[in-house]
Amino acid sequence: NITEKEFDLLKMLYSRDMDAETAMVLLHLSKNDFNTIIKKLLENEMLHYITYNIIELTEIGLEYINKKEEIDNNKKTVKELINK
């Protein structure tokens, strides 16, 4: 299970290329927290290195984003139906 910040990072990497400094600023993370997130996402095979200092999403990471967004959209729809 990943945190909201970890998911936000995955979505950011999916939508555009980004350097670590920019990601840390946008997510309001310290370097240590950022490195911890990267390590966890690498261990969960949601990210992988393509060169020494460049990482990218894996198929697992892409699938996770798509499934989580689908689940979140379904939750919104159910809430809308309940509130009618």
Side-chain angles (χ1 to χ4, degrees), residues 2-30:
I2 67 170
T3 66
E4 187 175 331
K5 291 272 187 187
E6 292 162 349
F7 182 67
D8 289 343
L9 178 60
L10 288 176
K11 287 194 312 187
M12 290 168 66
L13 293 172
Y14 177 69
S15 65
R16 62 188 177 272
D17 290 337
M18 182 176 306
D19 63 89
E21 295 297 323
T22 302
M24 285 188 281
V25 169
L26 292 173
L27 294 171
H28 307 288
L29 293 169
S30 68

Side-chain angles (χ1 to χ4, degrees), residues 55-71:
I55 56 173
E56 71 178 7
L57 283 169
T58 63
E59 286 297 317
I60 293 169
L62 289 171
E63 287 176 22
Y64 185 87
I65 290 170
N66 291 329
K67 286 180 182 176
K68 180 154 179 18
E69 288 182 337
E70 184 179 322
I71 289 168

Side-chain angles (χ1 to χ4, degrees), residues 30-75:
S30 68
K31 189 166 182 74
N32 284 341
D33 289 341
F34 181 78
N35 288 336
T36 300
I37 288 173
I38 294 296
K39 182 179 178 190
K40 180 178 176 183
L41 294 173
L42 286 165
E43 288 171 355
N44 287 318
E45 299 181 355
M46 293 182 176
L47 299 176
H48 70 110
Y49 281 101
I50 56 173
T51 65
Y52 171 71
N53 60 352
I54 299 176
I55 56 173
E56 71 178 7
L57 283 169
T58 63
E59 286 297 317
I60 293 169
L62 289 171
E63 287 176 22
Y64 185 87
I65 290 170
N66 291 329
K67 286 180 182 176
K68 180 154 179 18
E69 288 182 337
E70 184 179 322
I71 289 168
D72 290 348
N73 287 336
N74 288 340
K75 285 180 183 176

